[in-house]
């Protein structure tokens, strides 16, 4: 069950996303939010801290929490967030289409593998559609020595949910590589992009808690619909 501050955070994100709290305006005060949610000020501060960290607000001393512009979906750079979790957070009402489901090996060049490093995998290509617009192409390669079989129903739903809740796998950590690249002809057709468009390629490698390789992913995002965020703190060197 989600903690109270997480529930408040998610509710405030939805209200900001749906412009109940519009950009350029201030959120209610900590006391007002505490009364609204029946929570302590410390709990509210934790929720506001998450909003600040993920780029939804800016704190101004003596004034409060200023709502920032949200013209794109904010995808966190750090952390391992599934698309379904992002969908739930933003209340995006996403449809998922499974375009391909096949047995293959992980592409060596794409993920900088050694020439003799052949990793059998289940390849799942999915298209994410939000409000009738195709936004993301997910290309997942799940290693068959860890997950021998993935059904179309699982691919249609959530891989992470299947890994964690059905197979009881403990996802540990991963790495991500972000690049802006010209869209291929196939990507332009699927995402309905004009000629000479660019996309954001997010390549990821995911390990289990015991360091076992689990998954290779390349997600192709429409650059006009997503922003990628990370919270940075000033450190004196």
């Amino acid at each position: 069950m989600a903690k109270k501050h997480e529930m408040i955070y998610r509710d405030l994100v939805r209200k900001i996303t749906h412009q109940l709290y519009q950009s350029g305006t201030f959120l209610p005060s900590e006391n007002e939010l505490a009364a609204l949610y029946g929570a302590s000020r410390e709990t509210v501060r934790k929720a506001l801290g998450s909003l600040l960290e993920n780029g939804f607000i800016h704190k101004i001393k003596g004034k409060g929490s200023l709502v920032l512009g949200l013209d794109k979906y904010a995808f966190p750079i750090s952390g391992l967030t599934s698309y379904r979790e992002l969908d739930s957070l933003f209340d995006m009402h996403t449809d998922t289409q499974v375009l391909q489901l096949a047995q293959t090996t992980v592409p060596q060049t794409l993920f900088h593998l050694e020439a003799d490093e052949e990793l059998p995998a289940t390849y799942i290509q999915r298209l994410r559609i939000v409000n009738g617009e195709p936004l993301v192409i997910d290309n997942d390669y799940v290693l068959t020595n860890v997950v021998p079989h993935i059904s179309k129903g699982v691919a249609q739903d959530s891989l992470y949910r299947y890994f964690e809740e059905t197979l009881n796998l403990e996802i540990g950590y991963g790495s991500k590589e972000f690049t802006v690249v010209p869209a291929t002809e196939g990507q332009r057709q699927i995402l309905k992009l004009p000629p000479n468009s660019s996309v954001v390629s997010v390549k990821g490698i995911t390990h289990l808690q015991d360091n076992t390789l689990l998954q290779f992913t390349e997600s192709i995002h429409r650059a006009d619909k997503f922003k990628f965020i990370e919270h940075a703190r000033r450190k004196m060197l």
Side-chain angles (χ1 to χ4, degrees):
M1 183 176 178
K3 296 179 180 179
K4 184 74 172 182
H5 69 88
E6 294 173 344
M7 295 171 62
I8 295 172
Y9 166 71
R10 288 178 176 271
D11 188 60
L12 289 173
V13 167
R14 292 189 181 99
K15 288 177 178 176
I16 291 171
T17 302
H18 292 288
Q19 299 186 31
L20 297 178
Y21 296 130
Q22 297 185 357
S23 63
T25 65
F26 286 89
L27 291 180
S29 68
E30 289 183 2
N31 285 333
E32 290 171 328
L33 289 173
L36 176 64
Y37 289 106
S40 67
R41 286 188 63 184
E42 181 61 29
T43 298
V44 168
R45 286 194 191 103
K46 288 182 180 179
L48 294 176
S50 295
L51 290 175
L52 177 67
E53 182 175 350
N54 290 311
F56 292 100
I57 62 172
H58 175 63
K59 299 281 284 186
I60 299 179
K61 189 174 182 179
K63 291 188 176 181
S65 302
L66 179 69
V67 178
L68 300 179
L70 190 65
D71 57 341
K72 298 180 181 180
Y73 297 109
F75 210 110
I77 291 175
S78 62
L80 295 173
T81 303
S82 72
Y83 195 88
R84 179 169 288 277
E85 290 165 340
L86 184 70
D87 179 30
S88 174
L89 177 62
F90 284 103
D91 200 17
M92 293 161 61
H93 304 293
T94 301
D95 291 322
T96 296
Q97 291 183 7
V98 179
L99 303 181
Q100 295 188 58
L101 180 62
Q103 297 303 307
T104 185
T105 56
V106 178
Q108 295 165 332
T109 303
L110 183 63
F111 293 102
H112 314 297
L113 301 178
E114 299 294 334
D116 61 348
E117 194 172 3
E118 292 194 0
L119 301 174
T122 301
Y123 171 55
I124 309 111
Q125 184 182 61
R126 294 174 292 179
L127 176 63
R128 312 294 193 171
I129 302 171
V130 179
N131 296 323
E133 286 189 291
L135 298 190
V136 181
I137 303 169
D138 279 335
N139 298 292
D140 291 286
Y141 301 84
V142 182
L143 300 189
T144 53
N145 67 319
V146 182
V147 182
H149 175 71
I150 296 175
S151 68
K152 187 174 181 179
V154 167
Q156 188 81 38
D157 182 39
S158 170
L159 293 180
Y160 271 26
R161 178 184 295 176
Y162 179 62
F163 297 157
E164 294 175 326
E165 298 182 11
T166 301
L167 301 182
N168 296 315
L169 297 176
E170 189 175 358
I171 297 173
Y173 66 95
S175 61
K176 295 180 183 179
E177 174 186 311
F178 293 74
T179 53
V180 178
V181 295
T184 67
E185 182 178 354
Q187 291 165 356
R188 290 199 305 271
Q189 290 178 355
I190 293 174
L191 295 176
K192 299 181 180 179
L193 295 172
N196 303 317
S197 294
S198 294
V199 292
V200 180
S201 166
V202 183
K203 296 178 187 176
I205 301 175
T206 304
H207 293 74
L208 298 179
Q209 193 65 43
D210 64 3
N211 201 42
T212 300
L213 264 174
L214 170 66
Q215 178 185 21
F216 292 77
T217 300
E218 184 186 30
S219 294
I220 303 298
H221 296 73
R222 278 182 50 171
D224 61 333
K225 293 295 183 180
F226 285 88
K227 63 180 179 182
F228 298 85
I229 60 173
E230 177 61 290
H231 183 63
R233 296 183 182 274
R234 166 71 172 155
K235 290 185 178 179
M236 298 296 291
L237 300 178

